[in-house]
Amino acid sequence: MPEHLTHPLRSDARDNRERILDAARVLFAAEGLNVPMREIARLAEVGPATLYRHFPTKESLATEAFVDQMRTCHAIADEGLADPDPWRGFCHVIERTFELNAHSRGFTEAFMSTFPNAMDFAASREYALKSVTELARRAKETGHLRADFALDDLMLMLMAHRGIQPGSQAARTAASRRFAALVIEAFRATPGSASLPPVPRLAPAAG
């Protein structure tokens, strides 16, 4: 086949791949990882065969779709560790992590499940968790983080945070900030008096 005829095919393949990833990010964010692959193909305006040619499994698709979020997780962990005040760094990690997860239900599910066959994803997750463990150790030494805190407590809170599903992104963000503040108070060794973010409106007013 003449070379000039192959260029449009390569270009079409790249376009299809990007449309699939864009559609996956939208649907994973709104509906989580349980969204059917056929729905992703439909939103991307490609056939199922095209989708599976680029991404043979949902795991491979989600891993690629969440590359930027995993990089952000790295950055958040590094920022927390770099803070000379371990407690402030620990609080920063919670606030930023919850904010990140508020934008995508699917990313929370992917982070919690690890995706063991996706080595880069698993390695990034392990890095983030080890960083938080080290930061928690330092925060305990300052006396600000309660001594009985365990990493599983944070994972439990992330699971609870996944239940925040108000209709709009603004409502999810507001609810996430409030929840993060409540979590920080729960982890604080001595209850503080810091004011909480505003209460988000999660339900219609009665009457």
Side-chain angles (χ1 to χ4, degrees):
M1 180 181 291
E3 185 176 350
H4 73 277
L5 293 179
T6 67
H7 288 170
L9 294 177
R10 290 199 295 266
S11 176
D12 287 348
R14 286 195 300 270
D15 289 345
N16 287 340
R17 181 182 177 85
E18 288 306 311
R19 286 207 305 274
I20 291 167
L21 285 170
D22 288 343
R25 292 182 185 113
V26 169
L27 292 175
F28 285 155
E31 302 180 30
L33 295 183
N34 288 331
V35 61
M37 292 285 270
R38 64 179 178 275
E39 293 296 328
I40 296 172
R42 183 178 297 116
L43 182 61
E45 298 182 343
V46 300
T50 298
L51 187 155
Y52 284 109
R53 185 162 57 248
H54 287 283
F55 302 100
T57 66
K58 187 181 291 185
E59 179 177 303
S60 65
L61 175 55
T63 299
E64 183 70 20
F66 294 134
V67 165
D68 289 342
Q69 285 92 334
M70 286 307 302
R71 287 174 181 161
T72 301
C73 277
H74 263 252
I76 291 171
D78 289 342
E79 289 164 2
L81 286 171
D83 196 313
D85 182 337
W87 172 248
R88 185 173 60 196
F90 183 79
C91 294
H92 172 80
V93 167
I94 291 177
E95 291 167 349
R96 288 291 311 282
T97 300
F98 282 23
E99 178 183 350
L100 180 65
N101 283 272
H103 287 78
S104 177
R105 291 179 58 195
F107 178 66
T108 305
E109 294 170 6
F111 187 87
M112 298 292 289
S113 67
T114 310
F115 286 175
N117 295 323
M119 297 308 295
D120 289 344
F121 196 99
S124 294
R125 178 182 184 273
E126 187 67 17
Y127 176 87
L129 294 179
K130 285 183 176 179
S131 298
V132 173
T133 299
E134 171 59 18
L135 188 54
R137 183 191 66 78
R138 297 179 190 178
K140 285 181 181 180
E141 289 180 349
T142 69
H144 289 95
L145 176 62
R146 55 188 303 153
D148 59 354
F149 169 83
L151 185 61
D152 285 343
D153 293 325
L154 183 55
M155 301 301 282
L156 180 63
M157 293 303 179
L158 281 171
M159 292 173 65
H161 182 276
R162 189 168 55 185
I164 298 176
Q165 300 176 31
S168 70
Q169 181 59 57
R172 284 196 299 274
T173 299
S176 178
R177 288 173 180 164
R178 176 88 176 183
F179 187 63
L182 292 169
V183 167
I184 288 170
E185 286 305 305
F187 291 161
R188 193 190 298 270
T190 303
S193 57
S195 60
L196 297 174
V199 178
R201 182 174 176 178
L202 303 181

